Amino acid sequence: IQPGSDDVIMINFEDEKYDNVADDMKKTAVVKNKKVIDRKKQQKLHLDFGCGPMVGLHVSGLDNSDILEDYAIMDFGFAFGVFSRFVINRIDESDSFGFVLQPELLYYNTKYDLSMKNYDNATLEFSSLSVPLLFGFQGEEKPLKLRAAVGPVFQLLLDQKVEVENNTEKTDFKNMIGLKIDLGADWGRITVDLGINIGLTDFEGDAGFIEGLGYHTRGEFVEIEDMNQYMLMITLGYKFF
């Protein structure tokens, strides 16, 4: 380079500066792309499935909110069935809960001591197939995962009969609909649930040869058509998956 050739030196310096700026832009673009990819990974959903048998105890009763405030008509019994559970959560360690969908199928038998208008004793007995469909949330903290869910429950009445003075007659009450509120916890494959079923529909249908089937309380007679069923149930289950 000859003396006085400053223009050549300046051009080489500018080219080097432009190259550095281009490198910085490339690095910035790579960092932004990496952040976008990491964000997409965090937004991916994970589906966890479990199912298994469940057994439990229940206390149930018939109630008319206007009169039977003392819950005099009650029954205790066993229940058994199966459950399945779908838990949807994001692949992100910062998430502490997932969305839960839990269908169940439970079988139990109930027996209520009632009476007729003429004060003759009567016994209503039926078996039920309960089908709850619960929606809620589950915590992801280990080792104990807590759950809370609520949803409709469909009660299918299977074997129905009423007995009065050793005379037994088949009844034909319609299936009922209710609301179930459920609190549960998982410890490994063991699952425990405490559920409350609230009947939303009354007994409707045919009570056979029985007329005026119901309950005497506080000087009044409440017919079974004006009652609905409620239930408190605790179950213990085991997840195969």
Side-chain angles (χ1 to χ4, degrees):
I1 302 172
Q2 298 298 326
S5 58
D6 293 340
D7 293 340
V8 176
I9 294 174
M10 182 61 68
I11 292 173
N12 290 336
F13 176 76
E14 292 294 338
D15 289 344
E16 183 179 355
K17 183 173 69 173
Y18 292 150
D19 291 340
N20 292 336
V21 172
D23 292 340
D24 292 340
M25 293 178 64
K26 290 180 180 178
K27 291 179 180 179
T28 303
V30 170
V31 172
K32 289 183 177 180
N33 289 336
K34 184 178 180 181
K35 290 182 178 180
V36 172
I37 293 174
D38 292 341
R39 191 177 298 113
K40 289 182 178 180
K41 287 182 178 180
Q42 293 177 357
Q43 293 176 351
K44 287 185 178 179
L45 298 179
H46 174 71
L47 176 62
D48 184 23
F49 172 74
C51 66
M54 60 194 309
V55 295
L57 299 172
H58 73 80
V59 53
S60 65
L62 302 179
D63 176 40
N64 180 292
S65 58
D66 295 331
I67 298 178
L68 299 183
E69 299 176 356
D70 52 356
Y71 303 107
I73 308 174
M74 300 184 67
D75 178 68
F76 301 86
F78 296 93
F80 62 90
V82 294
F83 74 95
S84 61
R85 186 181 306 137
F86 303 85
V87 182
I88 303 174
N89 49 30
R90 292 195 310 171
I91 305 176
D92 185 353
E93 295 182 356
S94 64
D95 284 348
S96 58
F97 63 88
F99 176 76
V100 173
L101 171 62
Q102 179 168 314
E104 299 175 354
L105 187 64
L106 288 165
Y107 176 86
Y108 53 86
N109 188 74
T110 48
K111 186 176 182 180
Y112 300 115
D113 292 327
L114 302 172
S115 62
M116 301 173 61
K117 284 186 176 180
N118 60 4
Y119 289 90
D120 287 341
N121 293 328
T123 300
L124 175 64
E125 184 177 2
F126 56 88
S127 56
S128 300
L129 195 61
S130 178
V131 187
L133 184 59
L134 304 176
F135 304 87
F137 296 94
Q138 173 178 283
E140 295 302 319
E141 298 295 333
K142 295 182 179 180
L144 192 64
K145 296 183 179 181
L146 302 179
R147 286 176 285 102
V150 64
V153 53
F154 305 95
Q155 184 178 358
L156 310 179
L157 303 182
L158 302 180
D159 185 19
Q160 312 173 40
K161 59 183 178 181
V162 62
E163 181 178 346
V164 178
E165 296 181 351
N166 297 324
N167 294 320
T168 302
E169 177 76 8
K170 293 288 184 179
T171 59
D172 188 22
F173 291 112
K174 297 181 180 180
N175 300 325
M176 296 181 289
I177 300 176
L179 178 70
K180 182 173 183 178
I181 303 172
D182 185 85
L183 298 176
D186 291 356
W187 185 53
R189 294 184 179 273
I190 304 299
T191 176
V192 179
D193 286 86
L194 177 64
I196 300 176
N197 290 6
I198 303 172
L200 301 179
T201 56
D202 299 332
F203 281 84
E204 297 180 0
D206 185 8
F209 68 90
I210 304 299
E211 293 184 3
L213 179 64
Y215 191 76
H216 289 276
T217 180
R218 304 179 185 180
E220 297 187 51
F221 183 78
V222 182
E223 295 189 1
I224 193 170
E225 288 82 0
D226 297 323
M227 301 180 189
N228 51 28
Q229 186 184 42
Y230 65 92
M231 179 175 294
L232 176 67
M233 181 182 298
I234 182 170
T235 57
L236 179 68
Y238 182 83
K239 292 190 298 183
F240 288 134
F241 302 101

